[in-house]
């Protein structure tokens, strides 16, 4: 018997189907504000996506399921974590002594073999990682139960800081039991493309973490993160837009936390493209810029006015010793007139992902206009930005650059060395680069890179910063601060300059 | 439709999909931007990757091969039923699509229901009494609906319905309560477009002789409008509802982001920004298939609504 559906039956069926499908899905907001010991943190990135197979499918950032051998302090220096000490046995060999009494979440003890297997697993999945940390693929070996040796391809004094990155959290050797680490939290539940729920690891060596449940939710849209915070469906919101920070901070139930990060925003000035190849013009641009105004008016007071290209939190940054330029637009105008600049527009390149940069570019363009320099702003999408920048297509590029570990050396190398990643393409092509100031700076960077103490690094890298600022290779703008929103009654969060490293063990809610 | 017509139709669909795939692949290939650098920077938590790392990534993913080689490799995999692996997450593209598509279908279906539920009564009310208050109100509503950007309406609904009235959750996926605000956001824009078309189509149909005949036979106005006029007025409406599928997929990107409903729209946009070629290609191909099939379904619906129309869209 043939059966036909009436339009009403069809619509009814669709509605029921939609309801059933919707009801079958899981809620993204597992957080329950009523539970005093349960907390929800909204992240801007999906903590379950990306290539995290090597970490049991969860991000090694934020969660503290895994711990690296080396910690990064609030002062961006290295400190013991799973390793108690380390030393360079020779120029290319590092030995790390493991902390005793550390256990994985399944009760197994941390051993040197487990550390070797953990690094090998990361190397197997990410073929580019050994090159990143300067280690041969088979260069990690166990000397004995508590000593691990790393063989680097060349002398690498910054090696311990480099492996303080959360990419090197140590995992249990048995991948089938993943994710199993040694951190204060263990994984209770993973909802793909939504959330990770953690519970405390009861036998953690420093005592049990405070929250009975800690959930990291993915809430991509910054406005939705703020609205969810106001709705009390989450306890902490990462990356609150600076424009909304005051609103969140002034509201009765919510508060704002800001932290200086190891990242800086600056204008990279193309030293090899006319007319910014003229030092007088570059200095004029520097004299025209008012960093305090940028921080106050564009960044809503969140950030620090910059004097150099590296955040003042980086131990070898010489922020206070660097010269300042102004603002003095009369002086700037004089320099423009002395320069060979003849009215051609300067191109300003901006990454469209960063809305603050677009506004800053507008402000800069206005100031440059005041000193008789015209400019054109060009916004490009994030994936195209780096290629466009390193091709030297623009006179001025707004860049933001920071480190995610205690090893910040790579910043100075990438930015100013002629073979650093920013300059390499043009250096290889025509011997210039984009904004490397030359061979003497290359030599200083290499000396800093090989230096074994912070004081020595400060000396060599300090010279680099002096030369870079003196020659107007950059126009420093701001040192970046991260912005978190939280419920006003939530406290005990151990904020960190690297937001991936914030500690949640002592988070609590007041009565 | 006989077997020959069906074969011709399927062949055309295949050619269209091949064209879509080669155009998309070509466009993303020539767009500046290195997937290796973008994806590595994300994976490293924002830290800039070294040149060595970038080069190793490119070699491992075959990104140094010329366009024809990369495209032929991808097409070969597709013909074997494999859409490839994401550069970014290493997941199978088909699995990513399967994971996301329920959210998109539920949102699209619910939005379409909202749109039709608002548009058809509003369009009819507006057409049966042109120049009346109902007509002006419906036209004004349609104007407002068309003019409001999705993201703006979305935030407005969250502020009013979630923060002030505490009726619905701010965002997420789950029961029906999570679907109401996104469906209203996306459906209201579509409702405005459809309502205007229903009004115009109804006005045309109500003037036709057979409607006058029905009236003169003494049928009640309600029967005339709903039984006789509406069926024929729906022919152009079906077309626009079919075309609105593109609106759903476009609008879904914003709605998916605002209401945190991971779906195909955000998957595609994120993949484009990351230059994650296999995902871009997989989703584009799927969207192409959906469009081609929707057009086919629209043609079939025509002939059901008006038997004078054959599947070539001609009046017989």
């Amino acid at each position: 018997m043939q059966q036909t559906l009436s339009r009403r039956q069809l619509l009814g069926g669709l509605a029921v189907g939609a309801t059933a499908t919707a009801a079958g899905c899981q809620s993204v907001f597992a957080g329950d504000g009523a539970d005093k010991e349960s907390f929800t943190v909204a992240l801007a990135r999906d903590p379950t996506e990306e290539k995290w197979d090597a970490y049991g499918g969860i991000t090694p950032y934020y969660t503290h399921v895994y711990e690296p051998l080396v910690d990064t302090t609030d002062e961006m220096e290295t400190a013991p974590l799973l390793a108690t000490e380390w030393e360079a046995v020779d120029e290319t060999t590092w030995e790390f002594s493991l902390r005793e009494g550390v256990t994985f979440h399944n009760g197994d003890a941390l051993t040197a073999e487990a550390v070797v297997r953990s690094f090998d697993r990361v190397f197997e999945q990410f073929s580019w990682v050994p090159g990143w940390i300067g280690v041969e693929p088979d260069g990690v070996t166990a000397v004995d139960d508590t000593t691990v040796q790393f063989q680097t391809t060349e002398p690498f004094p910054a090696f311990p800081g480099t492996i303080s990155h959360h990419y090197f959290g140590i995992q249990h050797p048995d991948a089938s039991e993943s994710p199993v680490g040694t951190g204060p939290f263990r994984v209770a539940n993973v909802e793909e493309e939504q959330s990770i729920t953690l519970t405390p690891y009861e036998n953690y060596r420093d005592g049990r973490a405070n929250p009975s449940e800690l959930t990291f939710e993915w809430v991509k849209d910054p406005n939705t993160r703020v609205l969810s915070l106001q709705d009390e469906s989450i306890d902490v919101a990462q990356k609150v837009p600076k424009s909304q920070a005051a609103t969140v901070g002034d509201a009765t139930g919510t508060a704002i936390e800001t932290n200086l990060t190891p990242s800086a925003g600056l204008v990279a000035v193309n030293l090899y493209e006319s007319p910014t190849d003229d030092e007088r013009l570059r200095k004029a641009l520097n004299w025209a810029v008012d960093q305090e105004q940028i921080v106050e008016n564009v960044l809503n007071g969140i950030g620090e006015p910059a004097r150099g290209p590296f955040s003042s939190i980086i131990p070898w940054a010489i922020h206070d010793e660097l010269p300042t330029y102004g603002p003095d637009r009369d002086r700037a105008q004089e320099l423009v007139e002395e320069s060979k600049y003849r009215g051609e527009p300067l191109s300003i390149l901006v990454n469209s992902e960063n809305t603050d940069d677009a506004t800053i570019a507008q402000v800069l363009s206005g100031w440059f206009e005041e000193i008789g320099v015209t400019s054109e702003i060009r916004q490009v999408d994030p994936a195209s930005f780096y290629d466009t920048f390193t091709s030297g297509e623009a006179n001025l590029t707004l860049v933001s650059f920071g480190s995610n570990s205690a090893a910040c050396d790579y910043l100075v190398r990438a930015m100013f060395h002629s073979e650093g990643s920013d300059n390499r393409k043009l250096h290889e092509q025509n011997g210039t680069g984009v904004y490397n100031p030359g061979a003497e700076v290359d030599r200083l960077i290499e000396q800093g890179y090989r230096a074994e103490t912070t004081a020595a690094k400060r000396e060599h890298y300090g010279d680099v910063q002096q030369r870079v600022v003196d020659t107007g290779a950059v126009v420093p703008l701001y040192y970046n601060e991260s912005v978190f929103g939280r419920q006003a009654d939530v406290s005990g969060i151990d904020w960190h300059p690297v937001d991936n490293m914030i500690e949640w063990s002592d988070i609590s809610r007041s009565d | 439709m006989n077997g020959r017509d069906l074969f011709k139709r399927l062949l055309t669909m295949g050619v269209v999909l091949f064209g879509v795939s080669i155009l998309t692949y070509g466009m993303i290939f020539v767009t500046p931007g290195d997937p290796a650098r973008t994806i590595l920077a994300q994976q490293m938590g924002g830290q800039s990757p070294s040149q060595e790392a970038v080069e190793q990534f490119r070699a491992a993913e075959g990104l140094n091969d010329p366009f024809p080689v990369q495209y032929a490799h991808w097409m070969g995999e597709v013909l074997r039923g494999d859409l490839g692996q994401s550069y970014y997450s290493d997941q199978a593209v088909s699995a990513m699509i399967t994971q996301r598509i329920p959210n998109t279908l539920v949102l699209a279906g619910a939005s379409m229901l909202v749109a039709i539920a608002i548009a058809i009564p509003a369009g009819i009310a507006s057409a049966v009494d042109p120049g009346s208050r109902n007509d002006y109100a419906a036209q004004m509503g349609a104007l407002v609906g068309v003019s409001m950007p999705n993201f703006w309406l979305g935030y407005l609904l969250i502020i009013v319905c979630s923060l002030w009235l505490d009726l619905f959750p701010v965002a997420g996926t789950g029961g029906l309560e999570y679907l109401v605000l996104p469906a209203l956001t996306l459906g209201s824009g579509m409702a405005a477009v459809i309502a205007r078309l229903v009004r115009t189509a109804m006005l045309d149909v109500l003037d036709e002789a057979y409607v006058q005949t029905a009236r003169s036979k003494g049928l009640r106005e309600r029967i005339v409008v709903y039984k006789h006029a509406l069926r024929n007025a729906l022919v152009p409406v079906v077309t626009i509802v079919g075309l609105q599928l593109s609106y759903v997929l476009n609008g879904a990107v914003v709605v998916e982001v605002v209401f945190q409903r991971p779906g195909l729209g955000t998957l595609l946009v994120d993949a484009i920004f990351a230059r994650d070629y296999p995902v871009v290609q997989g989703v584009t191909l799927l969207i192409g298939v959906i469009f081609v099939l929707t057009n086919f379904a629209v043609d079939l619906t025509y002939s059901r609504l008006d038997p004078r129309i054959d599947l070539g869209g001609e009046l017989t």
Side-chain angles (χ1 to χ4, degrees):
Chain A
M1 188 178 70
Q2 193 180 7
Q3 199 175 1
T4 54
L5 287 175
S6 71
R7 196 176 306 147
R8 189 172 300 166
Q9 283 171 318
L10 182 66
L11 288 176
L14 280 174
V16 169
T19 311
T21 315
C25 303
Q26 291 286 317
S27 164
V28 74
F29 289 120
D32 179 0
D35 183 347
K36 267 194 71 175
E37 294 182 345
S38 171
F39 297 86
T40 305
V41 179
L43 300 179
R45 292 172 65 192
D46 179 359
T48 70
E49 211 195 356
E50 305 175 28
K51 213 169 182 170
W52 299 138
D53 292 2
Y55 309 92
I58 67 159
T59 173
Y61 305 126
Y62 322 104
T63 49
H64 295 282
V65 170
Y66 306 113
E67 297 169 303
L69 297 179
V70 180
D71 201 6
T72 304
T73 68
D74 287 356
E75 290 74 37
M76 294 301 295
E77 299 202 79
T78 54
L81 193 57
L82 289 185
T84 49
E85 55 189 22
W86 47 88
E87 62 169 344
V89 180
D90 58 46
E91 275 204 323
T92 57
T93 309
W94 284 92
E95 270 190 9
F96 287 72
S97 305
L98 300 185
R99 186 180 297 279
E100 290 182 11
V102 175
T103 54
F104 285 103
H105 297 153
N106 61 2
D108 291 353
L110 173 75
T111 62
E113 277 302 334
V115 173
V116 173
R117 180 69 198 109
S118 183
F119 272 86
D120 284 348
R121 199 195 297 180
V122 174
F123 293 173
E124 282 159 20
Q125 183 160 15
F126 307 102
S127 58
W128 45 272
V129 169
W132 168 22
I133 61 171
V135 170
E136 293 289 351
D138 57 355
V140 189
T141 49
V143 176
D144 55 43
D145 264 6
T146 57
T147 311
V148 182
Q149 198 174 79
F150 293 84
Q151 206 71 43
T152 60
T153 49
E154 55 186 70
F156 190 6
F159 178 74
T162 305
I163 60 166
S164 70
H165 195 287
H166 275 190
Y167 240 77
F168 305 104
I170 304 303
Q171 311 147 67
H172 189 269
D174 185 353
S176 64
E177 283 196 46
S178 62
V180 176
T182 62
F185 293 100
R186 61 198 306 170
V187 176
N189 188 42
V190 177
E191 293 288 343
E192 279 194 29
E193 297 198 41
Q194 290 183 9
S195 64
I196 296 171
T197 300
L198 310 174
T199 51
Y201 171 38
E202 301 290 341
N203 297 323
Y204 189 63
R205 58 188 181 276
D206 289 348
R208 182 186 181 279
N210 187 49
S212 61
E213 195 174 89
L214 179 63
T215 301
F216 290 91
E217 303 274 2
W218 176 41
V219 184
K220 183 178 180 178
D221 182 52
N223 295 314
T224 306
R225 284 199 296 277
V226 170
L227 290 166
S228 301
L229 191 71
Q230 290 169 344
D231 186 54
E232 297 179 33
S233 13
I234 57 170
D235 296 293
V236 182
Q238 185 202 27
K239 296 191 192 301
V240 168
K242 291 186 171 99
S243 58
Q244 295 189 42
T247 314
V248 175
D250 292 344
T252 318
T254 52
I256 282 291
E257 299 284 344
T258 60
N259 294 281
L260 187 62
T261 72
S263 139
L266 52 96
V267 181
V269 185
N270 192 333
L271 302 177
Y272 303 100
E273 180 74 24
S274 176
T276 42
D277 56 347
D278 186 333
E279 187 172 316
R280 289 162 298 189
L281 178 64
R282 297 198 299 269
K283 287 189 166 175
L285 300 178
N286 266 286
W287 280 102
V289 172
D290 185 342
Q291 284 80 1
E292 284 189 12
Q293 285 264 338
I294 287 172
V295 170
E296 280 312 307
N297 297 333
V298 182
L299 306 180
N300 295 285
I302 299 166
E304 283 186 6
R307 285 173 70 166
F310 304 108
S311 167
S312 56
I313 202 166
I314 293 174
W316 44 255
I318 59 159
H319 170 84
D320 293 329
E321 295 143 56
L322 289 170
T324 53
Y325 275 93
D328 183 341
R329 291 193 191 116
D330 292 334
R331 172 90 183 102
Q333 202 162 3
E334 285 168 22
L335 280 165
V336 172
E337 282 158 14
E338 286 171 24
S339 76
K340 63 178 185 188
Y341 178 74
R342 293 294 171 264
E344 59 271 47
L346 303 186
S347 49
I348 305 179
L349 183 68
V350 174
N351 183 340
S352 63
E353 190 178 44
N354 193 341
T355 47
D356 288 339
D357 277 1
T359 316
I360 289 171
Q362 296 280 359
V363 172
L364 293 178
S365 185
W367 286 335
F368 296 158
E369 194 75 42
E370 285 180 35
I371 63 168
V373 175
T374 58
S375 54
E376 289 170 349
I377 298 167
R378 180 182 167 201
Q379 273 188 287
V380 297
D381 78 280
S384 310
F385 177 77
Y386 187 81
D387 273 358
T388 316
F389 164 48
T390 54
S391 302
E393 290 180 25
N395 293 110
L396 309 172
T397 307
L398 266 67
V399 293
S400 169
F401 217 14
S403 175
N404 252 336
S405 67
C408 303
D409 293 55
Y410 90 98
L411 291 173
V412 67
R413 185 176 176 83
M415 292 163 88
F416 299 116
H417 196 282
S418 57
E419 291 179 8
S421 51
D422 291 359
N423 299 303
R424 184 176 180 149
K425 190 191 287 180
L426 289 185
H427 185 73
E428 284 175 356
Q429 253 172 40
N430 50 25
T432 62
V434 183
Y435 64 135
N436 60 304
E440 178 57 17
V441 165
D442 282 1
R443 191 183 61 76
L444 287 167
I445 290 171
E446 281 152 22
Q447 285 176 337
Y449 188 73
R450 285 196 297 271
E452 288 177 11
T453 63
T454 304
K457 276 188 197 303
R458 206 168 190 278
E459 189 185 328
H460 300 302
Y461 290 158
D463 279 351
V464 173
Q465 292 164 74
Q466 286 277 3
R467 284 163 191 263
V468 161
V469 173
D470 274 346
T471 55
V474 297
V475 181
L477 296 175
Y478 60 91
Y479 302 141
N480 191 36
E481 287 185 350
S482 60
V483 189
F484 277 75
R486 62 173 170 85
Q487 298 297 339
D489 61 353
V490 168
S491 59
I493 303 167
D494 188 3
W495 305 103
H496 195 282
V498 179
D499 64 3
N500 293 336
M501 295 181 177
I502 290 169
E503 297 257 11
W504 312 95
S505 292
D506 293 326
I507 189 171
S508 62
R509 189 178 281 113
S510 58
D511 290 322
Chain B
M1 180 182 272
N2 58 33
R4 195 177 160 183
D5 286 342
L6 186 64
F7 178 74
K8 272 171 64 183
R9 193 67 187 245
L10 288 174
L11 197 65
T12 315
M13 287 183 192
V15 172
V16 168
L17 290 176
F18 176 72
V20 165
S21 75
I22 205 158
L23 267 178
T24 320
Y25 213 104
M27 280 167 71
I28 195 157
F29 194 84
V30 297
T31 309
D34 186 355
R37 183 167 294 281
T38 311
I39 288 163
L40 288 182
Q42 278 280 355
Q43 284 180 354
M44 290 166 69
Q47 186 166 321
S48 191
S50 67
Q51 193 61 30
E52 289 73 20
V54 170
E55 278 159 15
Q56 276 169 346
F57 186 99
R58 290 185 65 82
E61 300 290 352
L63 287 163
N64 294 323
D65 294 336
F67 171 73
V69 175
Q70 287 194 42
Y71 179 78
H73 176 74
W74 175 79
M75 189 43 96
E77 299 285 311
V78 170
L79 292 175
R80 281 195 290 273
D82 182 0
L83 292 174
Q85 308 279 120
S86 160
Y87 297 155
Y88 186 54
S89 66
D90 218 21
Q91 274 185 291
V93 174
S94 52
M96 294 170 84
I97 289 174
T98 311
Q99 203 169 349
R100 298 271 189 134
I101 208 165
N103 270 337
T104 302
L105 289 181
V106 167
L107 178 62
S111 311
M112 205 61 97
L113 285 180
V114 166
I116 291 170
I118 297 172
I120 292 190
I124 292 172
S126 180
V128 293
D129 199 1
S132 67
R133 280 186 187 175
N134 279 349
D135 185 19
Y136 286 127
Q139 289 201 55
M140 183 61 78
L143 188 66
V144 171
V146 164
S147 314
M148 274 192 299
N150 276 332
F151 73 91
W152 184 86
L153 180 61
Y155 293 137
L156 184 73
L157 287 173
I158 290 175
I159 290 167
V160 174
C161 301
S162 302
L163 293 190
W164 294 356
L165 302 177
D166 202 20
L167 290 175
F168 301 105
V170 171
T173 50
L176 261 189
E177 70 272 26
Y178 288 91
L179 192 58
V180 175
L181 298 186
L184 272 176
T185 306
L186 198 51
S188 61
M190 279 192 288
V193 176
I194 298 171
R196 280 157 51 145
L197 195 81
V198 171
R199 179 182 185 274
T200 311
M202 281 297 285
L203 282 173
D204 287 346
V205 173
L206 286 170
D207 274 346
E208 288 205 16
Y210 75 91
V211 173
Q212 304 300 333
T213 309
R215 279 195 179 121
S216 64
K217 284 197 298 189
L219 288 178
R220 278 183 295 164
E221 186 64 16
R222 194 180 176 80
I223 302 290
V224 172
V225 170
Y226 286 97
K227 276 278 184 195
H228 293 260
L230 181 59
R231 187 186 172 104
N232 280 354
L234 282 181
V235 173
V237 175
V238 166
T239 316
I240 199 77
V241 168
L243 291 175
Q244 287 294 300
L245 190 69
S246 63
Y247 176 87
V248 172
L249 290 171
N250 286 334
V253 178
V254 173
V255 173
E256 283 169 10
V257 170
V258 169
F259 291 99
Q260 190 58 28
R261 298 179 61 86
L264 284 184
T266 42
L267 182 64
L268 178 60
V269 169
D270 288 347
I272 290 170
F273 279 126
R275 302 290 190 268
D276 195 348
Y277 299 165
V279 177
V280 175
Q281 273 303 82
V283 179
T284 313
L285 200 63
L286 176 72
I287 290 173
V289 170
I290 292 173
F291 269 88
V292 167
L293 291 179
T294 307
N295 273 330
F296 188 52
V298 165
D299 289 352
L300 285 176
T301 316
Y302 277 166
S303 56
R304 287 293 300 270
L305 285 171
D306 187 344
R308 294 172 302 165
I309 301 174
D310 72 5
L311 281 176
E314 301 288 331
L315 275 174
T316 54

